[in-house]
Amino acid sequence: MASQQQVDQYRDQGYFIADDAVAPEMLEEMIAAAQRATAKVRSGEIVDDPAGVRTGGTGDDATFISGLMAPEFGEPVFAEYLGSEALARYLQPFIGDELRLGWVHLCVVEGDYEIGWHRDTGGNDRDGSYEVEMDILARHRSNFMKWHLALADDPCLWIVPGSQRRYRTDREREVLINDPRGEIPDGQQIDLKRGQTIFWNSNTIHRGLKPDDVAERWTVMCALIDHRTAYDDHGEKGDHQWLMADNIREALPERTRHYYDNWRALAEPRMAAGG
Ligand SMILES: O=C(O)CCC(=O)C(=O)O
Ligand SMILES: [Fe+2]
């Protein structure tokens, strides 16, 4: 469960790290499942299909593997994890008890990896005035919790602590708009150890950068959403069509199925309307 200090750190700095947000046995299962799932994508046994399971790429190019809850992967641990009690207890102080999907993706990288500095406020103005930016930060994904679980030690995420609650500096603007691979003085490298979870606000200015001396990245990236809030077209849209397949729902464990049903009740009419 999140301590008061963790709740405060999330609000103030935009993140906190938990050591016990996954049960040790489940972590071991997920590591094995992640390796098998990756092998299936890399070997071509499971192929990225816009109308079916999305794998986030094909063969060795697959870096963000989605579709992990699909029965095609044969790895039910990912859906169990998303609906686990340990996670629900961490999320509760932030987004309550009644949740909807979200996602569970696996980031697996062996070679170079860099995603330049950004806020996850896609679809909104990226170069707005003080008023515009502060309004976006107050609104965007305020009903979300997003987290990374390291299946292996992972020092790739960098965050500018506290940047989710303030207007960018001149230097940050220069980097965000013109030079995403530049340096930001207050950027902090997050040194996540195997089994640790970082819950973080992706309105912070952040980047992903794999150091040369790190051989592999194995990290699960997830989100769940407060279901008491309205569907947000900017924050929630994604490669979700595969979740509509007939074989998905019955394969889900109880709590994840509930999250799924909540999500589907909102998403399905939008998809039917072409949204
Ligand atoms: O590689 C990372 O950890 C950062 C990826 C990212 O930008 C995100 O999860 O929003
Ligand atoms: Fe991001």
Side-chain angles (χ1 to χ4, degrees):
M1 202 172 122
S3 67
Q4 189 57 48
Q5 193 196 345
Q6 288 172 322
V7 173
D8 292 346
Q9 192 189 347
Y10 185 85
R11 305 241 188 266
D12 185 45
Q13 308 276 298
Y15 74 94
F16 70 92
I17 293 172
D19 292 329
D20 59 354
V22 61
E25 319 79 67
M26 189 172 276
L27 175 67
E28 297 305 323
E29 278 181 53
M30 286 174 77
I31 291 169
Q35 287 166 346
R36 288 188 297 262
T38 303
K40 283 181 188 161
V41 173
R42 297 264 158 103
S43 70
E45 186 182 335
I46 298 181
V47 176
D48 188 52
D49 173 4
V53 179
R54 298 312 311 252
T55 62
T58 301
D60 289 339
D61 293 338
T63 295
F64 292 97
I65 301 179
S66 50
L68 294 167
M69 290 191 291
E72 284 82 349
F73 275 100
E75 303 293 356
V77 71
F78 292 107
E80 278 163 33
Y81 166 68
L82 202 61
S84 64
E85 177 67 19
L87 278 176
R89 287 163 62 100
Y90 267 103
L91 299 175
Q92 201 279 336
F94 302 95
I95 52 174
D97 299 314
E98 189 63 38
L99 307 181
R100 66 172 172 266
L101 300 180
W103 57 79
V104 50
H105 293 167
L106 172 67
C107 177
V108 43
V109 191
E110 280 116 22
D112 294 342
Y113 170 88
E114 178 167 10
I115 295 179
W117 293 103
H118 64 283
R119 303 188 193 265
D120 281 0
T121 49
N124 289 286
D125 189 348
R126 290 199 174 270
D127 197 13
S129 64
Y130 176 88
E131 286 73 23
V132 167
E133 181 153 318
M134 294 307 285
D135 179 60
I136 293 167
L137 294 178
R139 225 177 351 92
H140 185 70
R141 286 189 170 177
S142 59
N143 57 347
F144 255 65
M145 279 296 269
K146 182 167 143 119
W147 68 93
H148 287 7
L149 163 66
L151 302 182
D153 292 357
D154 179 358
C156 302
L157 175 65
W158 291 65
I159 288 181
V160 181
S163 55
Q164 82 284 1
R165 352 179 232 104
R166 60 164 176 77
Y167 192 47
R168 69 215 178 176
T169 64
D170 289 345
R171 172 67 193 153
E172 287 163 353
R173 178 191 180 274
E174 173 59 21
V175 169
L176 289 167
I177 305 294
N178 296 319
D179 184 21
R181 294 178 157 204
E183 291 306 319
I184 293 183
D186 294 335
Q188 188 175 311
Q189 186 176 19
I190 303 292
D191 198 8
L192 213 57
K193 297 300 178 197
R194 180 182 187 272
Q196 284 187 321
T197 304
I198 180 169
F199 295 90
W200 60 291
N201 184 330
S202 62
N203 287 355
T204 54
I205 297 169
H206 63 276
R207 71 171 169 186
L209 178 63
K210 185 155 108 20
D212 291 338
D213 61 350
V214 172
E216 296 186 344
R217 184 185 206 196
W218 290 89
T219 289
V220 173
M221 301 181 170
C222 304
L224 285 170
I225 303 169
D226 181 347
H227 190 53
R228 298 167 299 188
T229 61
Y231 194 94
D232 170 11
D233 283 309
H234 287 320
E236 298 191 37
K237 69 182 175 197
D239 54 352
H240 275 140
Q241 187 61 42
W242 65 273
L243 277 166
M244 296 295 180
D246 291 340
N247 62 357
I248 298 281
R249 186 179 186 278
E250 72 248 31
L252 298 176
E254 190 179 339
R255 193 185 333 228
T256 312
R257 187 182 295 178
H258 186 65
Y259 297 167
Y260 174 84
D261 287 342
N262 282 344
W263 166 77
R264 189 161 170 157
L266 298 183
E268 197 161 19
R270 306 182 98 76
M271 289 192 188

